[in-house]
Amino acid sequence: YKGIAFARLGNTQFAQRALFRSLKLATEIGHKALQADAQAQIGQLMAERGESEKAISRLEQALAIALEMGDLLRTMTLAGKLGSLFLGMQSLDKAADYYAQALHTAQQLKLPRPESSFLIGLGNVMLANDEPDAAVEQYETALTVADNLDDGHAQIAALTSLLRAYIAAGRQSMVQLYGDQVIRIAREQGEPLAEITAINLLVDFLLAQGHAPRTVAYAERGLEIARAKEDWGWQLTMLSHLGSAELALQHWGDALAHFTDALTQAQQLQDEAAQAQLYGRISAVLAAMDRFPEAIAAAEKALSIAEVIDDKRLIGEQQVLLAFAYYDSGEIELAVACCQAAISAYAALADEPGVEKVRTLLAELSTKQ
């Protein structure tokens, strides 16, 4: 208990010391349950520090003890934790095995809440393995279990998972259906984080599908939640969404205002990658407003930040935006030079589709020289 308390206080050094002392004493007196619990807590501590392989070793030792004791509850909990760790490491076969073990044990114990959770875990493995249809089957079963329990939290988890799966499958009608459903239930349950997470997934998808008019109300609700929670990160995300929607709708003034507000949030968060992306979007808006000198200045600022953080993909994107800004202002030679620099950036990433897109643009610009 002392080790757990130290861990919750964030003092990992003292926590580890206490937990190893606990394990030593439990081993000396032959107390299997306490050995399993100490190993599990040590594994959890290592997982939180990002030491996944060490964490797995500890948790597997704890699981072996639980199986030896015939302790189904500990077996279920430990197998579930191992499933999550292996999923995080993209070891999908192992993750599936442990989630299946946890699920089977939950069903033996007749515990529907963990059963729903482990069904979602199995679905997550299938989704990571690019099998959205198989994932949907697991998530729908999890939702049925949650509905039978009338458990709002479990329903939200299953519905959010279904939303992710249908996004991966590109099923627009189902994305809209489950997006609206999880947003409604999360709001009814007073779960703002779940609501804004679902809003973000839905808006991302709709923007990518070219349905900007339908995203504005969702993003405005997301911004309302973010401001109420005083969460700068979510404010940045929702302001960016609103800017993108207004840009697609050719509402240049509103788009510029939202992107500028988002840039302020990115600067407060010291998120340089977001700053570079936002300067690029601001450049696109300014160019659309025929404010070419300002558009070029914004694009150059974006490129400067991308080069400082040495993000090759971001450099390529900003070089392309700068090429457009130069082209719109009549500086064709500079636009061509930017395209050539973008090709170099994408080539360094071995991104052939990116290289081909810029080569196509370069060929068009070369005819203008």
Side-chain angles (χ1 to χ4, degrees), residues 217-228:
Y218 290 115
E220 285 176 342
R221 170 59 184 161
L223 183 58
E224 179 186 337
I225 295 169
R227 283 175 171 163

Side-chain angles (χ1 to χ4, degrees), residues 34-64:
L34 286 178
Q35 287 178 50
D37 290 347
Q39 291 280 29
Q41 291 295 336
I42 292 167
Q44 184 67 33
L45 196 65
M46 291 173 170
E48 289 169 3
R49 291 203 304 248
E51 300 172 352
S52 297
E53 292 182 2
K54 290 181 180 179
I56 285 168
S57 174
R58 292 289 174 179
L59 289 169
E60 285 183 332
Q61 290 179 63
L63 178 59

Side-chain angles (χ1 to χ4, degrees), residues 247 276-285 287 292 295-300 302-303 313-329 334-335 338-339 342 346 358 361:
L247 177 60
Q277 290 169 342
L278 285 161
Y279 273 118
R281 292 174 187 175
I282 288 169
S283 173
V285 177
F292 299 120
I296 290 170
E300 287 175 340
L303 180 58
R313 187 166 303 282
L314 203 50
I315 289 170
E317 291 170 0
Q318 301 312 317
Q319 288 282 15
V320 171
L321 284 170
L322 192 53
F324 280 117
Y326 279 131
Y327 174 76
D328 289 336
S329 65
L334 290 173
C338 287
C339 284
Y346 285 124
V358 184
L361 174 60

